């Protein structure tokens, strides 16, 4: 907790600076978020717009940025807090992009999982008869991190810009891929943009209303039994509880409920990873041990839960699956 | 946007509704992870916010840690609502952060509630 004030201050300044400079929370200028869609040939306009808000593609960079921040902490006593903070600002503005890109390339596992998850979601939507559009390089960020950190004023221009871009897509329904973006679009955007009228639905809500099933051959490729880790935002903020259970059950997967489930779910610790990785890791360890008691395969529906619980795969022996990864196992790239 | 003074007054009114039953403390994941540090619990954070607002505490490193380590997971609210109190604890902590964050982003060390 030493230097906490300055570290939070630094995190906020970096985030705001990145968004101002590039429109991206990580400050990356070259698009890194649309490669997963190569080969899908998704149109840029349509009634249903698939909106990732870059959350899954961001994961390898988030993992590396967090590790780089943690690695710099021991320098605090040597450099002094203010010198380090200033250095971090300059480094972030000038050198973060190449450094992050090089390091993120090494994060092969999370890169593959994030790509598989989005691919699985898109393939399952196609398989269930949903025609979705995707903005590709033009896809904006939702501003959720600014909102979570209490940057009420700084988030407003992001909301305006993103809201306008989404409205210009002509979509009547926006299909989101993660609970945090769903919450922003459903609950926060309408408060700031009275004209923001598209219907916002999480992809699992959409899939749960279809008759998406698999044959026995496909079912044999999937985990037989999983324990479900409910996301706090998905359950307590959005009230979306049964959708993932319905989708998994239709794929022939037995879903086990852990001790703290549904509206009583326990947090993965992810939201404080940016500033307090040790605390975040302790919270994740408690939840991981709890989940590992029930099954060796854990399913999550949130990218933040995925990267935070993944850290404890080795010490608990569990395998954490994003629900999108399960869909990828079932439907591959083309929903076939 | 409402001015800061009005937000402070409203926040203090809401926090005053807490009857200090502490049922929310045990379910807080950061309280569990810290092995029982009450200032890292939902109730602890509400008290910190209250005393920062009324000037009894000065904003420093440990208090920053306490306020910004809230996961905003709303598990405490679920408990509070089930006990008939219905205080939106995370929303109050978030409102406290909103008073602080802009100033923290600007300068850091001089930021105060």
């Amino acid at each position: 907790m030493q230097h906490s004030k300055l570290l939070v201050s630094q995190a906020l300044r970096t985030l705001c600076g990145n968004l101002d400079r590039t429109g991206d929370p990580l400050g990356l200028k070259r698009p890194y978020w649309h490669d997963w869609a190569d080969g899908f040939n998704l149109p840029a306009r349509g009634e249903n717009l698939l909106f990732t808000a870059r959350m899954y593609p961001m994961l390898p960079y988030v993992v590396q940025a967090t590790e780089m921040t943690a690695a710099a902490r021991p320098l605090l006593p040597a450099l002094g807090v203010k010198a380090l903070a200033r250095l971090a600002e300059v480094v972030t503005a000038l050198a973060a992009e190449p450094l992050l890109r090089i390091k993120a390339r090494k994060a092969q596992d999370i890169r593959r999982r994030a790509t598989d998850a989005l691919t699985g979601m898109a393939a399952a939507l196609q398989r269930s008869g949903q025609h979705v559009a995707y903005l590709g390089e033009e896809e904006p960020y939702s501003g959720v991190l600014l909102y979570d950190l209490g940057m009420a004023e700084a988030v407003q221009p992001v909301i305006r810009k993103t809201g306008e871009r989404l409205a210009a897509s002509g979509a009547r329904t926006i299909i989101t891929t993660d609970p945090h973006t769903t919450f922003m679009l459903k609950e926060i955007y309408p408060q700031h943009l009275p004209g923001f009228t598209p219907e916002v639905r999480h992809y699992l809500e959409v899939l749960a209303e279809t008759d998406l099933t698999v044959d026995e051959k496909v079912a044999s490729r999937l985990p037989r039994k999983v324990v479900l880790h409910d996301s706090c935002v998905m359950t307590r903020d959005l009230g979306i509880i049964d959708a993932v259970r319905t989708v998994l059950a239709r794929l022939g997967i037995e879903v086990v409920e852990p001790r703290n489930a549904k509206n009583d779910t326990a947090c993965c610790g992810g939201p404080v990873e940016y500033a307090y990785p040790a605390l975040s890791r302790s919270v994740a360890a408690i939840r991981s041990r709890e989940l590992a008691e029930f099954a060796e395969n854990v399913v999550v529906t949130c990218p933040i839960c995925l990267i935070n619980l993944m850290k404890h795969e080795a010490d608990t022996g569990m395998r954490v699956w994003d629900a999108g990864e399960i869909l990828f196992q079932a439907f591959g790239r083309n929903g076939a | 946007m409402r001015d800061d003074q009005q937000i402070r007054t409203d926040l203090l009114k809401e926090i005053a509704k807490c009857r200090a039953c502490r049922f929310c403390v045990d379910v807080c994941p950061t309280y569990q992870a810290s092995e029982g540090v009450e200032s890292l619990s939902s109730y602890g954070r509400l008290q910190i916010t209250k005393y920062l607002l009324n000037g009894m505490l000065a904003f420093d490193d440990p208090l920053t840690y306490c306020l910004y380590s809230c996961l905003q997971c709303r598990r405490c609210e679920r408990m509070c609502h089930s006990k008939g109190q219905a205080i939106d604890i995370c929303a109050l902590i978030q409102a406290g952060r909103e008073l602080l964050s802009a100033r923290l982003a600007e300068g850091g060390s001089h930021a105060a509630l």
Side-chain angles (χ1 to χ4, degrees):
Chain A
M1 94 177 55
Q2 225 187 352
H3 310 307
S4 206
K5 203 168 176 179
L6 208 86
L7 288 169
V8 171
S9 166
Q10 186 54 44
L12 292 169
R13 291 172 72 152
T14 303
L15 181 61
C16 291
N18 285 346
L19 279 163
D20 264 357
R21 217 174 51 251
T22 65
D24 184 72
L26 298 162
L28 301 182
K29 288 180 194 157
R30 284 209 335 257
Y32 57 88
W33 51 85
H34 64 95
D35 291 354
W36 69 269
D38 290 349
F40 272 105
N41 296 319
L42 300 174
R45 287 180 69 86
E47 290 229 330
N48 301 318
L49 181 74
L50 187 65
F51 182 48
T52 78
R54 311 179 186 179
M55 292 291 278
Y56 279 91
M58 201 184 285
L59 294 182
Y61 301 94
V62 171
V63 169
Q64 291 309 316
T66 311
E67 281 180 15
M68 283 158 69
T69 311
R73 296 235 165 137
L75 299 174
L76 272 170
L79 279 175
V81 186
K82 287 189 177 165
L84 186 70
R86 180 75 194 121
L87 184 69
E89 260 175 59
V90 173
V91 166
T92 306
L94 300 177
E97 176 142 3
L99 197 60
L100 259 183
R101 281 187 182 278
I102 290 164
K103 290 181 85 66
R105 256 181 243 140
K106 291 183 186 162
Q108 289 295 341
D109 185 33
I110 184 59
R111 178 185 287 277
R112 181 185 52 75
R113 291 198 199 187
T115 303
D116 286 357
L118 287 174
T119 306
M121 293 171 202
L125 286 166
Q126 281 191 336
R127 175 66 177 261
S128 66
Q130 304 290 323
H131 299 287
V132 294
Y134 174 61
L135 293 173
E137 274 193 33
E138 298 285 311
E139 183 174 70
Y141 175 63
S142 72
V144 66
L145 195 50
L146 278 177
Y147 173 79
D148 284 348
L149 291 173
M151 298 295 286
E153 284 188 34
V155 77
Q156 289 184 33
V158 179
I159 289 176
R160 260 198 308 278
K161 206 169 164 187
T162 300
E164 281 166 12
R165 185 65 194 86
L166 293 174
S169 76
R172 288 191 187 171
T173 304
I174 296 174
I175 301 175
T176 50
T177 58
D178 74 278
H180 294 266
T181 303
T182 313
F183 174 74
M184 279 299 279
L185 263 53
K186 268 191 175 177
E187 306 293 333
I188 309 304
Y189 273 50
Q191 292 173 23
H192 297 274
L193 295 173
F196 188 75
T197 53
E199 185 184 15
V200 178
R201 310 197 71 200
H202 188 271
Y203 80 92
L204 285 166
E205 288 183 285
V206 176
L207 290 180
E209 287 176 4
T210 68
D211 55 359
L212 190 73
T213 52
V214 291
D215 59 29
E216 276 181 30
K217 191 177 154 202
V218 173
S220 68
R221 298 202 294 261
L222 309 178
R224 293 274 158 119
K225 177 178 159 185
V226 301
V227 59
L228 196 59
H229 165 73
D230 285 299
S231 138
C232 303
V233 178
M234 193 82 136
T235 52
R236 287 190 281 266
D237 282 327
L238 294 166
I240 305 171
I241 293 168
D242 293 329
V244 64
R245 290 166 171 80
T246 305
V247 171
L248 292 175
R250 288 209 189 117
L251 298 178
I253 297 171
E254 182 192 348
V255 177
V256 181
E257 303 291 352
R259 205 168 20 255
N260 295 301
K262 301 183 179 176
N263 276 324
D264 292 319
T265 189
C267 183
C268 69
V272 296
E273 171 81 37
Y274 77 97
Y276 309 121
L279 180 66
S280 171
R281 209 168 257 267
S282 303
V283 173
I286 293 171
R287 181 58 169 164
S288 297
R289 283 197 297 271
E290 199 168 87
L291 293 166
E293 283 176 29
F294 291 84
E296 63 185 33
N297 290 297
V298 178
V299 170
V300 300
T301 56
C302 166
I304 311 290
C305 299
L306 176 67
I307 54 169
N308 234 41
L309 294 178
M310 263 176 68
K311 291 172 193 159
H312 295 279
E313 285 182 330
D315 50 80
T316 57
M318 64 185 189
R319 160 69 156 100
V320 183
W321 299 79
D322 186 88
E325 282 183 276
I326 301 274
L327 294 170
F328 180 73
Q329 290 291 314
F331 303 111
R333 280 199 70 76
N334 53 15
Chain B
M1 187 169 278
R2 293 182 308 156
D3 63 65
D4 279 7
Q5 192 51 50
Q6 187 59 47
I7 296 173
R8 283 165 205 242
T9 309
D10 291 350
L11 261 173
L12 281 168
K13 265 190 204 164
E14 277 303 305
I15 293 171
K17 290 179 186 170
C18 173
R19 289 197 295 243
C21 70
R22 287 181 164 84
F23 278 113
C24 63
V25 170
D26 282 340
V27 298
C28 177
T30 53
Y31 174 79
Q32 292 170 355
S34 65
E35 297 179 345
V37 177
E38 194 166 84
S39 53
L40 288 176
S41 74
S42 38
Y43 173 76
R45 293 188 178 101
L46 271 194
Q47 298 310 302
I48 288 167
T49 308
K50 178 170 87 179
Y51 290 117
L52 282 171
L53 286 169
N54 65 21
M56 299 269 287
L57 285 175
F59 192 56
D60 57 11
D61 281 332
L63 298 187
T64 309
Y65 183 71
C66 295
L67 282 189
Y68 282 86
S69 61
C70 172
L71 296 157
Q72 291 284 304
C73 72
R74 299 182 61 207
R75 207 172 174 201
C76 50
E77 289 180 15
R78 173 116 175 118
M79 180 57 75
C80 189
H81 286 233
S82 78
K83 300 294 174 195
Q85 271 289 83
I87 298 173
D88 294 334
I89 303 168
C90 286
L92 296 180
I93 296 167
Q94 176 76 353
R97 283 179 181 177
E98 280 181 19
L99 288 174
L100 284 166
S101 286
R103 271 165 283 177
L104 272 174
E106 275 167 25
S109 56
H110 64 275
L113 262 180

